[in-house]
mmCIF file of all heavy atoms in Angstrom:
data_model
loop_
_atom_site.group_PDB
_atom_site.id
_atom_site.type_symbol
_atom_site.label_atom_id
_atom_site.label_comp_id
_atom_site.label_asym_id
_atom_site.label_seq_id
_atom_site.Cartn_x
_atom_site.Cartn_y
_atom_site.Cartn_z
ATOM 1 N N GLY A 27 -15.653 30.735 -0.498
ATOM 2 C CA GLY A 27 -15.743 32.191 -0.381
ATOM 3 C C GLY A 27 -17.165 32.700 -0.533
ATOM 4 O O GLY A 27 -17.620 33.545 0.243
ATOM 5 N N VAL A 30 -19.267 31.798 2.579
ATOM 6 C CA VAL A 30 -18.968 32.656 3.730
ATOM 7 C C VAL A 30 -19.570 34.046 3.534
ATOM 8 O O VAL A 30 -20.093 34.639 4.473
ATOM 9 C CB VAL A 30 -17.444 32.731 3.972
ATOM 10 C CG1 VAL A 30 -17.098 33.812 4.975
ATOM 11 C CG2 VAL A 30 -16.930 31.388 4.440
ATOM 12 N N LEU A 31 -19.544 34.561 2.306
ATOM 13 C CA LEU A 31 -20.149 35.869 2.054
ATOM 14 C C LEU A 31 -21.661 35.829 2.278
ATOM 15 O O LEU A 31 -22.239 36.742 2.880
ATOM 16 C CB LEU A 31 -19.827 36.339 0.637
ATOM 17 C CG LEU A 31 -18.392 36.810 0.424
ATOM 18 C CD1 LEU A 31 -18.159 37.102 -1.049
ATOM 19 C CD2 LEU A 31 -18.098 38.029 1.264
ATOM 20 N N THR A 50 -13.629 32.560 12.898
ATOM 21 C CA THR A 50 -14.482 32.539 11.711
ATOM 22 C C THR A 50 -13.794 33.284 10.570
ATOM 23 O O THR A 50 -12.921 34.132 10.803
ATOM 24 C CB THR A 50 -15.833 33.206 12.011
ATOM 25 O OG1 THR A 50 -15.599 34.544 12.426
ATOM 26 C CG2 THR A 50 -16.602 32.446 13.074
ATOM 27 N N LEU A 51 -14.193 32.957 9.350
ATOM 28 C CA LEU A 51 -13.641 33.656 8.198
ATOM 29 C C LEU A 51 -14.261 35.046 8.092
ATOM 30 O O LEU A 51 -15.460 35.212 8.273
ATOM 31 C CB LEU A 51 -13.917 32.880 6.912
ATOM 32 C CG LEU A 51 -13.059 31.649 6.670
ATOM 33 C CD1 LEU A 51 -13.503 30.932 5.404
ATOM 34 C CD2 LEU A 51 -11.604 32.026 6.542
ATOM 35 N N LYS A 52 -13.451 36.012 7.796
ATOM 36 C CA LYS A 52 -13.909 37.389 7.650
ATOM 37 C C LYS A 52 -14.312 37.629 6.192
ATOM 38 O O LYS A 52 -13.849 36.932 5.289
ATOM 39 C CB LYS A 52 -12.797 38.362 8.038
ATOM 40 C CG LYS A 52 -12.200 38.104 9.412
ATOM 41 C CD LYS A 52 -13.241 38.260 10.513
ATOM 42 C CE LYS A 52 -12.643 38.057 11.874
ATOM 43 N NZ LYS A 52 -13.090 36.879 12.556
ATOM 44 N N PRO A 53 -15.159 38.612 5.943
ATOM 45 C CA PRO A 53 -15.579 38.888 4.566
ATOM 46 C C PRO A 53 -14.411 39.193 3.621
ATOM 47 O O PRO A 53 -14.430 38.797 2.460
ATOM 48 C CB PRO A 53 -16.499 40.099 4.703
ATOM 49 C CG PRO A 53 -17.028 40.010 6.085
ATOM 50 C CD PRO A 53 -15.917 39.421 6.907
ATOM 51 N N SER A 54 -13.394 39.884 4.112
ATOM 52 C CA SER A 54 -12.249 40.188 3.247
ATOM 53 C C SER A 54 -11.522 38.913 2.822
ATOM 54 O O SER A 54 -11.059 38.802 1.683
ATOM 55 C CB SER A 54 -11.279 41.132 3.952
ATOM 56 O OG SER A 54 -10.834 40.563 5.165
ATOM 57 N N THR A 55 -11.441 37.939 3.719
ATOM 58 C CA THR A 55 -10.818 36.662 3.372
ATOM 59 C C THR A 55 -11.675 35.907 2.373
ATOM 60 O O THR A 55 -11.161 35.284 1.446
ATOM 61 C CB THR A 55 -10.615 35.817 4.643
ATOM 62 O OG1 THR A 55 -9.900 36.580 5.600
ATOM 63 C CG2 THR A 55 -9.850 34.553 4.333
ATOM 64 N N ALA A 56 -12.992 35.968 2.543
ATOM 65 C CA ALA A 56 -13.894 35.300 1.613
ATOM 66 C C ALA A 56 -13.774 35.904 0.213
ATOM 67 O O ALA A 56 -13.775 35.182 -0.787
ATOM 68 C CB ALA A 56 -15.326 35.393 2.115
ATOM 69 N N ILE A 57 -13.650 37.215 0.138
ATOM 70 C CA ILE A 57 -13.472 37.865 -1.168
ATOM 71 C C ILE A 57 -12.151 37.444 -1.789
ATOM 72 O O ILE A 57 -12.064 37.204 -3.001
ATOM 73 C CB ILE A 57 -13.557 39.400 -1.011
ATOM 74 C CG1 ILE A 57 -14.996 39.792 -0.655
ATOM 75 C CG2 ILE A 57 -13.114 40.116 -2.278
ATOM 76 C CD1 ILE A 57 -15.167 41.237 -0.263
ATOM 77 N N ALA A 58 -11.112 37.323 -0.973
ATOM 78 C CA ALA A 58 -9.818 36.862 -1.486
ATOM 79 C C ALA A 58 -9.927 35.440 -2.029
ATOM 80 O O ALA A 58 -9.357 35.136 -3.083
ATOM 81 C CB ALA A 58 -8.761 36.926 -0.390
ATOM 82 N N PHE A 59 -10.656 34.575 -1.358
ATOM 83 C CA PHE A 59 -10.855 33.207 -1.850
ATOM 84 C C PHE A 59 -11.546 33.231 -3.209
ATOM 85 O O PHE A 59 -11.195 32.472 -4.105
ATOM 86 C CB PHE A 59 -11.696 32.405 -0.864
ATOM 87 C CG PHE A 59 -10.921 31.779 0.262
ATOM 88 C CD1 PHE A 59 -9.778 32.354 0.772
ATOM 89 C CD2 PHE A 59 -11.360 30.600 0.820
ATOM 90 C CE1 PHE A 59 -9.079 31.786 1.804
ATOM 91 C CE2 PHE A 59 -10.677 30.005 1.872
ATOM 92 C CZ PHE A 59 -9.532 30.603 2.368
ATOM 93 N N CYS A 60 -12.547 34.099 -3.349
ATOM 94 C CA CYS A 60 -13.281 34.184 -4.616
ATOM 95 C C CYS A 60 -12.395 34.718 -5.747
ATOM 96 O O CYS A 60 -12.530 34.292 -6.895
ATOM 97 C CB CYS A 60 -14.503 35.080 -4.466
ATOM 98 S SG CYS A 60 -15.770 34.399 -3.395
ATOM 99 N N HIS A 61 -11.509 35.632 -5.423
ATOM 100 C CA HIS A 61 -10.644 36.207 -6.458
ATOM 101 C C HIS A 61 -9.458 35.308 -6.800
ATOM 102 O O HIS A 61 -9.065 35.204 -7.962
ATOM 103 C CB HIS A 61 -10.131 37.579 -6.029
ATOM 104 C CG HIS A 61 -11.129 38.663 -6.179
ATOM 105 N ND1 HIS A 61 -11.492 39.195 -7.391
ATOM 106 C CD2 HIS A 61 -11.887 39.301 -5.262
ATOM 107 C CE1 HIS A 61 -12.412 40.119 -7.217
ATOM 108 N NE2 HIS A 61 -12.664 40.202 -5.916
ATOM 109 N N TRP A 62 -8.865 34.683 -5.813
ATOM 110 C CA TRP A 62 -7.670 33.883 -6.052
ATOM 111 C C TRP A 62 -7.974 32.484 -6.541
ATOM 112 O O TRP A 62 -7.115 31.838 -7.129
ATOM 113 C CB TRP A 62 -6.807 33.807 -4.797
ATOM 114 C CG TRP A 62 -6.180 35.108 -4.424
ATOM 115 C CD1 TRP A 62 -5.892 36.142 -5.255
ATOM 116 C CD2 TRP A 62 -5.782 35.516 -3.124
ATOM 117 N NE1 TRP A 62 -5.346 37.174 -4.541
ATOM 118 C CE2 TRP A 62 -5.254 36.818 -3.239
ATOM 119 C CE3 TRP A 62 -5.812 34.917 -1.882
ATOM 120 C CZ2 TRP A 62 -4.761 37.522 -2.158
ATOM 121 C CZ3 TRP A 62 -5.318 35.623 -0.799
ATOM 122 C CH2 TRP A 62 -4.790 36.906 -0.942
#
Side-chain angles (χ1 to χ4, degrees):
V30 169
L31 286 174
T50 59
L51 284 176
K52 307 298 182 248
S54 58
T55 306
I57 291 171
F59 275 31
C60 292
H61 282 286
W62 292 335

